[in-house]
Amino acid sequence: MATGVAGGMLAEGVRHLAKGQMPTMSGILLTPSNAERITKELARLRGAAMKVGQLMSMDAGDLIPPALSEMMARLRSDANAMPMSQLVTVLDKAWGNNWSDKFERFTFTPAAAASIGQVHRARTREGIDLAIKVQYPGVRESIDSDVDNVVTLLRISGLLPSSIEIDSLIAEAKMQLHAEADYQSEQNWLTRYSDILGNQSDFILPVPHAELTNSKVLAMTWVEGVPIESLALAPQQLRDRVAAKLFELALKELFDFQVIQSDPNFANYRFNHDEQKIVLLDFGATRAMPDSMVEGYRKLMRAGLDKDQIKMREAATDIGYFGAEMSPQQIDAVMDLFEMACEPLCHQGAYDFAGSNLPKRMHDVGMTLALDRNYWHSPPVDALFLHRKLAGMYLLAARLKAGVDVRAIANRYLSEDEYL
Ligand SMILES: Nc1ncnc2c1ncn2[C@@H]1O[C@H](COP(=O)(O)OP(=O)(O)O)[C@@H](O)[C@H]1O
Ligand SMILES: [Mg+2]
């Protein structure tokens, strides 16, 4: 794989030289044939590539050059479905050979792609509609080498600058993929999250179907819904309500539940028009937040709300944002980023996410920081998950062109008398 791309780049470089031009790394890289080659290789390593991409985009700003984000976006939509015979083999192994007796109907064409598998719709003899997530065979066994291969590919193609040190990110990607490849554990999180959420009128979650679930096949009730982004065309009032509910849920996850569904990919949220409820899916990346983090963020957000810069800096230090090697300028840059992130919190009344351009502005500052060769201090991984979650909510609110009174919602979770 690596030599294929490197060979392609070499040939391209020679072509440039022949024309009397000095080849540049990025010039070589972005030729259509190389982009094609890289995309193909990444598709083969789809699950690992999506995870590495996900982790890179949640760190200080977006480290991924636009060419790579495009490839990643394509990966998400272009999954190769398992051939029917392979699917049947996986299901025979999970459920025994006579499994079709259990179903009134089983749709072999996948209803949706998952990152390391595919989702089928089926109806049991009892008439229960199920979503069945089936993992690609062999995925679990090759996680470590797949991640290594993705990183090698990104490095050798110049898509990932060699100055960037991502050992901890690589280790994290492997760890997470191993966790997410255990569908039994995902089912346990789904059960636990539903319990914590309790009887909630605003959300619908799938109900796990334990007897048909194991580490490679996850069965749960099928939940009707349309993509959450499709609400962009709904009345303003509905968009505002949905965004507000999701912000509130994110803060509840952090401050009340201390359990965060850390993958705010839009595809994990849908909307059920009949019941007027938000559908929550995908609990594979759910994690518990340690007390110290929760307290750190309570202090940080409280200080942000009060515009108290000294307390904010203290809280950020407690959480672990600043490495000993960081210069005062870099610390200031991080603090600027926090202040920007707190903008909706400090705003009186509904904050207009679409008009604010906030995700773009944060991206730009984060990018400048990330491109500073001397700055490479990764905050604790729990902090990264929280960034990802909150950034996901900002992006979703912006996409829905929603106005949300974030300050009023946050006040409920940060009020002095309740917590001090
Ligand atoms: N219970 C369900 N009901 C309806 N659709 C579902 C259900 N579970 C998953 N899906 C569909 O399958 C897609 C992928 O499932 P998901 O659990 O998010 O996989 P992954 O963990 O790989 O992201 C979802 O975005 C959704 O479209
Ligand atoms: Mg998902």
Side-chain angles (χ1 to χ4, degrees):
M1 170 193 73
T3 46
V5 173
M9 288 167 70
L10 201 64
E12 203 56 46
V14 170
R15 217 168 299 150
H16 275 273
L17 282 175
K19 285 193 231 148
Q21 299 161 326
M22 271 307 271
T24 60
M25 231 3 190
S26 53
I28 294 170
L29 170 80
L30 291 176
T31 64
S33 65
N34 262 322
E36 194 55 44
R37 220 188 287 243
I38 294 168
T39 310
K40 249 198 182 137
E41 284 302 338
L42 288 179
R44 222 167 46 78
L45 304 164
R46 184 167 179 271
M50 278 171 58
K51 180 55 69 187
V52 171
Q54 206 181 59
L55 289 178
M56 283 199 299
S57 63
M58 75 197 231
D59 214 328
D62 205 335
L63 291 175
I64 308 182
L68 183 57
S69 330
E70 255 162 56
M71 288 179 198
M72 294 284 178
R74 255 218 270 167
L75 273 184
R76 193 162 294 137
S77 53
D78 296 356
N80 296 324
M82 275 181 253
M84 168 105 157
S85 59
Q86 194 180 37
L87 173 65
V88 170
T89 309
V90 174
L91 294 178
D92 283 350
K93 210 166 159 198
W95 296 336
N97 290 336
N98 297 325
W99 60 265
S100 60
D101 296 348
K102 299 181 203 292
F103 294 98
E104 185 184 305
R105 200 164 64 208
F106 190 100
T107 311
F108 284 98
T109 310
S115 50
I116 50 172
Q118 58 196 38
V119 176
H120 290 267
R121 188 168 179 170
R123 174 173 294 164
T124 65
R125 289 260 171 240
E126 294 77 39
I128 304 171
D129 276 316
L130 295 181
I132 292 163
K133 184 152 89 169
V134 186
Q135 194 171 114
Y136 301 136
V139 158
R140 207 167 174 185
E141 292 68 27
S142 66
I143 286 173
D144 293 349
S145 62
D146 282 3
V147 170
D148 288 337
N149 285 337
V150 168
V151 173
T152 305
L153 183 62
L154 297 185
R155 286 241 196 255
I156 202 155
S157 61
L159 280 167
L160 188 65
S162 54
S163 61
I164 287 178
E165 213 270 288
I166 56 162
D167 288 352
S168 60
L169 188 145
I170 296 168
E172 185 61 31
K174 290 177 182 170
M175 228 170 67
Q176 269 189 54
L177 277 168
H178 280 290
E180 286 179 37
D182 181 356
Y183 286 174
Q184 184 63 57
S185 138
E186 175 170 348
Q187 190 188 62
N188 298 344
W189 273 118
L190 171 59
T191 308
R192 182 164 164 204
Y193 194 98
S194 305
D195 287 348
I196 304 175
L197 193 61
N199 237 344
Q200 254 284 350
S201 53
D202 299 306
F203 303 100
I204 318 178
L205 279 72
V207 179
H209 201 80
E211 25 333 351
L212 293 175
T213 297
N214 68 15
S215 64
K216 300 200 163 142
V217 177
L218 170 52
M220 59 196 138
T221 52
W222 178 269
V223 185
E224 281 304 336
V226 294
I228 196 93
E229 311 94 280
S230 68
L231 292 185
L233 302 169
Q236 183 78 46
Q237 204 191 357
L238 178 60
R239 286 182 273 129
D240 293 352
R241 185 172 76 84
V242 165
K245 288 292 169 201
L246 286 172
F247 264 102
E248 170 143 38
L249 183 64
L251 291 177
K252 248 192 205 152
E253 287 184 354
L254 175 62
F255 293 123
D256 279 358
F257 307 167
Q258 295 198 202
V259 162
I260 293 199
Q261 192 283 65
S262 70
D263 181 5
N265 187 321
F266 290 176
N268 295 336
Y269 301 93
R270 297 173 77 82
F271 189 73
N272 182 307
H273 278 288
D274 289 343
E275 298 191 45
Q276 290 287 300
K277 289 182 184 185
I278 301 164
V279 179
L280 303 178
L281 298 174
D282 195 352
F283 293 82
T286 309
R287 29 202 301 148
M289 280 297 238
D291 293 345
S292 59
M293 276 288 145
V294 176
E295 280 323 306
Y297 278 102
R298 182 166 279 138
K299 189 167 164 187
L300 184 65
M301 286 192 197
R302 182 70 269 145
L305 210 72
D306 298 340
K307 294 202 171 138
D308 183 336
Q309 299 205 350
I310 294 169
K311 275 229 175 86
M312 266 179 102
R313 199 173 283 236
E314 263 174 35
T317 310
D318 290 351
I319 295 171
Y321 276 105
F322 306 130
E325 70 289 355
M326 276 170 71
S327 69
Q329 289 87 338
Q330 288 165 340
I331 293 182
D332 285 344
V334 175
M335 291 311 297
D336 284 349
L337 209 53
F338 277 135
E339 254 169 66
M340 221 183 263
C342 283
E343 209 174 278
L345 216 57
C346 293
H347 186 83
Q348 297 283 352
Y351 182 82
D352 172 16
F353 277 92
S356 74
N357 208 12
L358 185 62
K360 163 104 179 56
R361 280 185 287 135
M362 289 192 64
H363 171 96
D364 292 347
V365 175
M367 200 65 194
T368 317
L369 199 57
L371 290 178
D372 177 350
R373 269 189 70 112
N374 301 316
Y375 172 75
W376 195 252
H377 172 74
S378 267
V381 75
D382 287 314
L384 295 181
F385 280 101
L386 190 65
H387 293 183
R388 190 168 144 62
K389 178 79 181 194
L390 294 176
M393 293 303 105
Y394 282 20
L395 284 171
L396 189 54
R399 176 71 76 92
L400 295 181
K401 297 195 186 64
V404 183
D405 192 344
V406 181
R407 189 182 175 86
I409 298 172
N411 249 323
R412 269 177 251 155
Y413 294 89
L414 299 169
S415 68
E416 302 270 355
D417 39 339
E418 199 175 335
Y419 291 106
L420 291 181

